[in-house]
Amino acid sequence: MKPAFSPSLMCMDVTKFREQIETLNGRADLYHVDVMDGHYVKNLTLSPFFIEQLSKVATIPIDAHLMAEKPNDFLVDACIDAGASIISIHPEVVHAELFRTIAHIKKRGCQVGIVLNPATPLAIIEPFAHLIDKLTIMTIDPGFAGQPFLTEMVEKIADAKRFRAEQRLAFTLEVDGSCNEKTFKQLAQAGNETFIVGTSGLFGLDHDLSTAWEKMEAIFRKQTEGIYF
């Protein structure tokens, strides 16, 4: 199995927007765009407008991670209209209309991702796991980059992999939060497949993004020798 990498664009240098996206287009597997409303989490980051601009130069899928109290009021359709091809939502905020939301996203031609906060149990996905395309395990509390890695989540990733196998499901496994040199190995051993890389895992490794990517890949290969390669 080949691991996938999803750069978290809230960590990019937006003054070098086109240059950095063109560098990542030939290397990354998808883009991770955090859309926060200041209520579900106490932060404001990227937006449907950012996705619209990104879609003009991106050659890989765009994953919109919606951290909002009422994503169905505006953000789901706005992000799809802007060019997102994956909509990732937190189940707690749409629980009363979760199946309707999943059906709507699929009807609009997008894939569906479910994101689990550290305190959200894996069992919450059991009724609808067969309908989703991607499961993201948060290994930090949502809202801010640079938080310490929560080691308690490693077993949750392994549990998700076992659940998927037992139920013969097809969703991919992804980790969001502190994917870097210190955590690559244990995340790989737990069965993770897609790594969201931010400042510590990618953008902060070198001022030149091409060099930073090469450093990230070298670190990853060294840390995961015998697991993926």
Side-chain angles (χ1 to χ4, degrees), residues 118-134:
T120 304
L122 178 64
I124 198 173
I125 73 167
E126 290 180 6
F128 54 85
H130 60 292
L131 298 174
I132 68 175
D133 301 289
K134 179 164 65 72

Side-chain angles (χ1 to χ4, degrees), residues 56-224:
K56 295 176 182 179
V57 290
T59 60
I60 57 177
I62 300 169
D63 176 15
H65 175 191
L66 307 187
M67 285 172 269
E69 284 188 351
K70 298 180 180 180
N72 288 338
D73 283 359
F74 167 72
L75 283 176
V76 168
D77 282 315
C79 289
I80 294 172
D81 292 341
S85 49
I86 307 167
I87 301 295
S88 294
I89 56 176
H90 289 258
E92 299 94 336
V93 296
V94 292
H95 61 90
E97 50 190 23
L98 184 59
F99 283 87
R100 195 183 321 151
T101 302
I102 291 173
H104 178 71
I105 293 170
K106 288 182 175 289
K107 186 177 181 180
R108 292 291 318 268
C110 286
Q111 293 188 341
V112 176
I114 290 292
V115 186
L116 299 184
N117 289 334
T120 304
L122 178 64
I124 198 173
I125 73 167
E126 290 180 6
F128 54 85
H130 60 292
L131 298 174
I132 68 175
D133 301 289
K134 179 164 65 72
L135 177 66
T136 304
I137 306 293
M138 297 288 297
T139 52
I140 61 173
D141 284 328
F144 295 88
Q147 297 182 68
F149 180 77
L150 299 173
T151 57
E152 296 90 344
M153 297 303 104
V154 175
E155 186 59 31
K156 189 175 183 179
I157 298 162
D159 288 343
K161 183 179 180 181
R162 283 192 292 269
F163 171 76
R164 183 180 66 180
E166 291 167 357
Q167 299 299 316
R168 299 181 180 179
L169 300 172
F171 60 77
T172 59
L173 278 171
E174 179 181 73
V175 164
D176 186 1
S178 294
C179 293
N180 54 42
E181 184 174 11
K182 296 179 180 179
T183 63
F184 282 149
K185 184 175 182 178
Q186 56 189 318
L187 294 175
Q189 289 174 331
N192 187 51
E193 296 158 345
T194 301
F195 296 79
I196 296 173
V197 285
T199 301
S200 64
L202 174 63
F203 293 99
L205 298 180
D206 197 277
H207 71 277
D208 176 74
L209 187 54
S210 180
T211 302
W213 188 274
E214 292 173 2
K215 288 181 178 180
M216 184 272 291
E217 282 194 324
I219 291 168
F220 186 85
R221 282 184 170 272
K222 180 180 179 182
Q223 293 294 323
T224 62

